[in-house]
């Protein structure tokens, strides 16, 4: 995030605090862009700002606690607050009543109104800008001031969700699914390419359902093929609901050169009884069947999944099934979460809630199983030469840190590259060929190959 001291000195300076997921990050960047365009001075330093916009998360209890702590800390500093995002959508007027420093709340489908909201706050109004059932999805014409590295950008291809998993409040926070037109996404991708983006990450709640609401059927395959013409080396898709990975979609993954064979599959569990209770595809061996199909059609696929342990009614037999599933499937990357009891979801009132200590022990056990699997899969890359996107440079040693296509930002590992005296100088945002020489549980190491 950069400062803009040339902006109108009569307007207040505005700082942003971002919490939560990549979708929140994109919303934050659009709010920054809108305020920047309107002449406000934007800063990343709380101390420099009279108003702080806090884009909050409310997905699980821990996220709410983090959001509330940030709000209280800023309030204690005497800052005027505009509360945006999921916590605002979730609790609305309660936040204005409970926190005197809160001057406005802005829902997840209303961030495009941030300039109008701030003007009302400047005039002394308390503002509630929250659409009950959000419909806004954004487009390529909405100003954006990016906060991630110059070389990596996230792009929302859809917003909201039509599924009703029994543990999830996302539809309540973000509304029903609504997709952006293909051409809108491609236009924004082309603009990002002009700005030096090397990796474009497509995000939505369920990316494999992209386009159903607009076109009457899923259009992820068509979108990927259109993005094949954009001058961005890596296109990565997050949150691919596995039942939507049809032959047509997997063919697009295989045939479009800049689409990475990286599949982020939120499976959540393996046992059919738990999956059924979660209101997810639950037929016996459904996940095994889908994974076999993926590996058959896309043999070089990198597979990531997320799992929930301690779901109500999860027995030791259910958990043993999940353990065997992890041992057999050998995912490249796994994220394990303990069940969070969310008020207003069906799972919150289900019988046989699992004690937290059991959930935590199950999480630790799964990760202890996954770590040697991840280490072994990483070791298979030793001796290969891969493109690495440079994201950090040690100013003292010249050593580099980056990622190859195997690793998504923030959630996966890194590639550590030893500086060589006779190698050409590398800079941030460059892609360089690297010979992998070593590995561990999470990361790879290597040396630049001269070309």
């Amino acid at each position: 995030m950069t400062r803009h001291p040339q902006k109108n000195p009569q307007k207040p300076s505005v700082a942003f605090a971002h919490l939560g997921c990549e979708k929140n990050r994109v919303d934050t960047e659009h709010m920054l862009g809108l305020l920047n365009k309107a002449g406000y001075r934007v800063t990343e330093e709380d101390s420099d700002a009279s108003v702080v916009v806090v884009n909050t998360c409310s997905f699980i209890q821990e996220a709410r606690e983090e959001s509330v702590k940030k709000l209280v800390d800023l309030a204690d500093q005497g800052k005027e607050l505009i509360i945006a995002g999921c916590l605002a959508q979730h609790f609305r007027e309660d936040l204005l009543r409970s926190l005197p420093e809160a001057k406005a709340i802005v829902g997840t489908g209303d961030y495009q109104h941030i300039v109008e909201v701030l003007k009302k706050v400047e005039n002394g109004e308390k503002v509630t800008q929250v659409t009950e059932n959000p419909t806004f999805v954004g487009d390529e014409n909405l100003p954006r001031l990016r906060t991630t590295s110059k070389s990596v950008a996230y792009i929302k291809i859809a917003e909201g969700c039509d599924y009703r998993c029994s543990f999830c409040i996302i539809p309540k926070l973000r509304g029903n699914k609504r997709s952006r037109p293909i051409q809108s996404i491609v236009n924004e991708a082309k603009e990002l390419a002009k700005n030096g983006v090397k990796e474009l990450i497509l995000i939505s709640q369920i990316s494999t359902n992209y386009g159903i609401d607009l076109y009457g059927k899923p259009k992820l395959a068509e979108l990927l093929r259109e993005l094949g013409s954009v001058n961005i080396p890596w296109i990565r898709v997050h949150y691919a609901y596995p039942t939507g990975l049809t032959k047509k979609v997997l063919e697009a993954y295989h045939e479009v050169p800049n689409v990475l064979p990286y599949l982020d599959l939120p499976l959540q569990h393996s046992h059919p009884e738990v999956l059924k209770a979660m209101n997810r595809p639950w037929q016996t061996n459904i996940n095994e069947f889908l994974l076999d199909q993926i590996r058959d059609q896309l043999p070089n696929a990198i597979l990531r999944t997320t799992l929930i342990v301690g779901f109500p009614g999860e027995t030791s037999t259910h958990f043993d099934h999940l353990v065997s599933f992890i041992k057999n499937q050998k995912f490249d990357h796994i994220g394990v979460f303990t069940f969070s009891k969310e008020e207003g979801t069906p799972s919150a009132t289900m019988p046989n809630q699992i004690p937290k200590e059991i959930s935590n022990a199950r999480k630790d056990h799964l990760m202890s199983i996954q770590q040697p699997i991840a280490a072994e899969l990483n070791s298979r890359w030793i001796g290969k030469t891969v493109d690495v996107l440079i994201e950090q440079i040690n100013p003292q040693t010249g050593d580099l840190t980056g990622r190859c296509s195997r690793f998504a930002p923030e959630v996966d590992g890194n590639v550590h590259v030893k500086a060589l005296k006779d190698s050409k100088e590398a800079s941030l945002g460059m892609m360089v060929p690297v010979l992998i020489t070593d590995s561990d549980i999470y990361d790879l190491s290597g040396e630049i190959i001269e070309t």
Side-chain angles (χ1 to χ4, degrees):
M1 195 185 301
T2 54
R3 300 182 185 184
H4 299 273
Q6 76 281 6
K7 296 299 176 182
N8 188 340
Q10 301 304 312
K11 291 183 179 292
S13 58
V14 183
F16 270 76
H18 162 79
L19 301 163
C21 66
E22 300 97 332
K23 290 179 282 294
N24 252 22
R25 183 183 297 279
V26 172
D27 297 348
T28 292
E29 291 176 348
H30 283 306
M31 287 191 282
L32 283 165
L34 286 161
L35 290 172
N36 180 56
K37 184 178 180 181
Y40 287 88
R41 289 169 290 144
V42 179
T43 174
E44 60 184 349
E45 301 295 338
D46 296 344
S47 59
D48 293 345
S50 56
V51 180
V52 181
V53 181
V54 185
N55 201 1
T56 58
C57 182
S58 191
F59 180 49
I60 59 175
Q61 180 63 29
E62 289 180 359
R64 285 193 290 278
E65 290 173 357
E66 182 185 11
S67 293
V68 169
K69 182 180 185 302
K70 184 65 176 179
L71 292 169
V72 171
D73 287 347
L74 290 168
D76 287 344
Q77 297 173 34
K79 303 296 182 183
E80 291 191 345
L81 304 175
I82 295 177
I83 306 173
C86 290
L87 197 73
Q89 188 75 29
H90 199 172
F91 295 103
R92 307 183 190 185
E93 287 84 358
D94 290 346
L95 293 169
L96 290 181
R97 287 194 295 266
S98 62
L99 200 61
E101 291 80 5
K103 305 303 178 182
I105 57 171
V106 180
T108 58
D110 296 274
Y111 62 87
Q112 72 276 17
H113 301 302
I114 188 63
V115 174
E116 294 90 336
V117 168
L118 186 51
K119 287 178 179 178
K120 291 178 181 178
V121 169
E122 290 177 70
N123 290 330
E125 296 182 44
K126 282 238 179 181
V127 184
T128 299
Q129 180 70 53
V130 180
T131 301
E132 177 76 24
N133 297 302
T135 58
F136 184 70
V137 68
D139 60 37
E140 72 275 24
N141 298 312
L142 199 65
R144 183 174 180 183
L145 191 62
R146 286 178 40 232
T147 60
T148 51
S149 71
K150 181 180 178 181
S151 56
V152 179
Y154 294 89
I155 185 168
K156 277 201 289 187
I157 63 174
E159 181 60 282
C161 186
D162 287 338
Y163 286 2
R164 295 296 183 266
C165 298
S166 65
F167 55 83
C168 185
I169 62 170
I170 289 296
K172 179 178 179 180
L173 302 179
R174 296 247 169 204
N176 289 325
K177 186 173 187 64
R178 53 223 189 255
S179 304
R180 290 174 56 185
I182 288 176
Q183 195 57 52
S184 171
I185 297 166
V186 172
N187 289 345
E188 184 174 0
K190 288 180 177 178
E191 193 62 32
L192 291 167
K194 291 178 185 176
N195 292 327
V197 166
K198 299 291 196 304
E199 179 176 14
L200 183 65
I201 302 175
L202 311 186
I203 54 173
S204 73
Q205 202 58 38
I206 300 175
S207 294
T208 37
N209 281 4
Y210 166 76
I212 291 177
D213 52 310
L214 281 182
Y215 305 108
K217 59 182 179 180
K219 287 282 188 175
L220 179 60
E222 289 81 355
L223 173 62
L224 294 179
R225 291 189 183 280
E226 288 294 325
L227 289 171
S229 64
V230 178
N231 187 27
I232 294 178
W234 291 350
I235 294 176
R236 191 185 304 271
V237 182
H238 274 190
Y239 318 123
Y241 205 81
T243 52
L245 287 168
T246 62
K247 181 179 179 181
K248 185 177 181 181
V249 172
L250 291 172
E251 284 175 349
Y253 269 92
H254 181 69
E255 294 170 6
V256 181
N258 57 347
V259 174
L260 301 178
Y262 178 100
L263 299 174
D264 189 345
L265 313 170
L267 297 180
Q268 311 304 0
H269 212 278
S270 63
H271 198 285
E273 292 175 2
V274 178
L275 290 167
K276 188 174 185 179
M278 289 177 168
N279 199 29
R280 297 178 67 82
W282 59 269
Q283 291 81 359
T284 300
N285 296 328
I286 181 68
N287 285 336
E288 289 90 338
F289 173 74
L290 292 168
L291 289 165
D292 285 346
Q293 281 192 317
I294 291 168
R295 289 183 168 117
D296 182 58
Q297 291 185 241
L298 201 63
N300 61 337
I302 303 300
L303 299 179
R304 158 174 272 281
T305 194
T306 50
L307 303 167
I308 296 174
V309 294
F311 190 82
E314 183 191 52
T315 66
S316 57
T317 299
H318 296 149
F319 181 68
D320 289 344
H321 187 280
L322 184 57
V323 168
S324 296
F325 177 74
I326 296 306
K327 288 180 177 178
N328 292 333
Q329 292 298 329
K330 299 188 186 307
F331 290 92
D332 295 270
H333 314 292
I334 286 181
V336 183
F337 301 89
T338 57
F339 170 72
S340 179
K341 185 178 179 180
E342 298 304 313
E343 184 179 349
T345 63
S347 61
T349 56
M350 286 180 177
N352 302 315
Q353 299 280 327
I354 307 299
K356 197 68 176 177
E357 59 270 21
I358 293 178
S359 298
N360 287 332
R362 289 177 177 176
K363 174 183 176 180
D364 292 344
H365 185 54
L366 273 191
M367 291 310 299
S368 71
I369 291 168
Q370 172 61 19
Q371 286 179 344
I373 294 172
E376 196 276 328
L377 292 175
N378 262 352
S379 71
R380 297 182 185 182
W381 289 73
I382 295 174
K384 295 183 178 181
T385 298
V386 298
D387 287 334
V388 173
L389 178 61
I390 301 303
E391 297 180 308
Q392 296 178 43
I393 300 176
N394 185 313
Q396 278 76 44
T397 66
D399 291 348
L400 313 170
T401 302
R403 291 177 297 107
C404 60
S405 60
R406 174 174 175 74
F407 301 136
E410 299 185 22
V411 294
D412 299 329
N414 292 303
V415 181
H416 303 287
V417 184
K418 190 70 176 174
L420 298 178
K421 292 181 180 180
D422 58 347
S423 71
K424 64 182 179 183
E425 184 178 351
S427 59
L428 294 177
M430 278 184 62
M431 278 192 173
V432 297
V434 172
L435 173 66
I436 302 302
T437 57
D438 199 4
S439 68
D440 59 26
I441 293 173
Y442 299 111
D443 298 342
L444 301 172
S445 301
E447 300 174 351
I448 293 177
I449 299 298
E450 295 290 357
T451 57

